[in-house]
Amino acid sequence: MTIRVLLADDQTLVRAAFAMLVESARDMEVVGEAATGREAVELARRFRPDLVVMDIRMPELDGIEATRLIAADEALTEVRVLVLTTYDTDENIVEALRAGASGFLVKDTRPAEMLDAIRTVAAGESLLSPGPTSRLIAQLLRSPSGVGSVTVSGGPESLSEREREVLTLVGRGLNNAEIAEVLGLSPLTAKTHVSRIMGKLGARDRAQLVIVAYESGMVTPGGV
């Protein structure tokens, strides 16, 4: 299947470079380009891409708010957002994850890694760098002025013991194959557990599960 990608960045040359890269992959196509956050939301609603590559800093509507609007739109539940940032220590990353982004990527990432990131997020996985992400989440949870908690409909207490184990590993940044290896499960079983956890907690994707794991104390920065 072809991965349909929407590119959102206010710099024309950056969008052009990303478009050339995406179109160079046989399994991807660019369905639209947006220069503002507002335009990104409008094009997402029009084209319903599989994934939006979203710059955080854009005019009219920043990438975080644009991500929040896309994630809140019931008609766009299958649309994933991969946010772009200049630095992996940018605290806006966590705010974007809370808003509904499925992961983040720094702009100086190598081309092949960016294509792999698009495939990863489009396949339903989260793309998180455990080290920087854990530091950012810990920092924001300690700060009274930090971003509010991610909104979910349930808590870890509603999970079985095995599901809590899986959630802890998700919080540490492990993918399904790695979780399966640690717990002695098949990758399919690990994936099923993750899906059930998202259903019980009402989480949009794995990125939100990471934040829940930290906020509940199941994962601590030193434990990653």
Side-chain angles (χ1 to χ4, degrees), residues 53-104:
V53 177
M54 181 85 73
D55 188 22
I56 287 182
R57 294 172 177 81
M58 288 189 293
E60 290 188 21
L61 200 67
D62 65 30
I64 295 172
E65 186 58 30
T67 297
R68 184 173 290 111
L69 290 174
I70 290 172
D73 192 328
E74 293 185 358
L76 302 178
T77 54
E78 299 301 317
V79 178
R80 295 289 176 258
V81 178
L82 176 64
V83 296
L84 294 175
T85 179
T86 305
Y87 307 103
D88 65 5
T89 54
D90 186 350
E91 67 179 28
N92 286 323
I93 293 171
V94 177
E95 191 172 354
L97 295 176
R98 293 183 190 276
S102 295
F104 71 90

Side-chain angles (χ1 to χ4, degrees), residues 152-171 176 179 183 185 189-206 208-210 212-213 218:
V152 294
S153 59
E157 64 278 359
S158 66
L159 305 178
S160 68
E161 182 177 350
R162 174 62 85 187
E163 289 167 343
R164 289 173 63 86
E165 290 177 335
V166 172
L167 177 57
T168 299
L169 296 177
V170 170
N176 290 342
I179 292 172
L183 297 179
L185 307 171
T189 299
K191 181 178 181 180
T192 299
H193 279 306
V194 173
S195 297
R196 287 177 178 169
I197 292 168
M198 286 193 290
K200 286 185 176 181
L201 301 184
R204 175 180 170 86
D205 57 23
R206 296 172 72 105
Q208 291 195 334
L209 292 184
V210 171
V212 170
M218 297 177 67

Side-chain angles (χ1 to χ4, degrees), residues 115-188:
L115 293 179
D116 285 341
I118 290 174
R119 294 185 183 103
T120 296
V121 174
E125 296 279 356
S126 59
L127 187 75
L128 305 172
S129 178
T133 304
S134 66
R135 291 195 297 271
L136 288 166
I137 292 176
Q139 173 187 339
L140 290 180
L141 292 181
R142 288 195 302 265
S143 172
S145 59
V147 184
S149 299
V150 65
T151 301
V152 294
S153 59
E157 64 278 359
S158 66
L159 305 178
S160 68
E161 182 177 350
R162 174 62 85 187
E163 289 167 343
R164 289 173 63 86
E165 290 177 335
V166 172
L167 177 57
T168 299
L169 296 177
V170 170
R172 291 175 179 168
L174 276 64
N175 60 32
N176 290 342
E178 293 166 336
I179 292 172
E181 183 176 355
V182 170
L183 297 179
L185 307 171
S186 71
L188 179 58

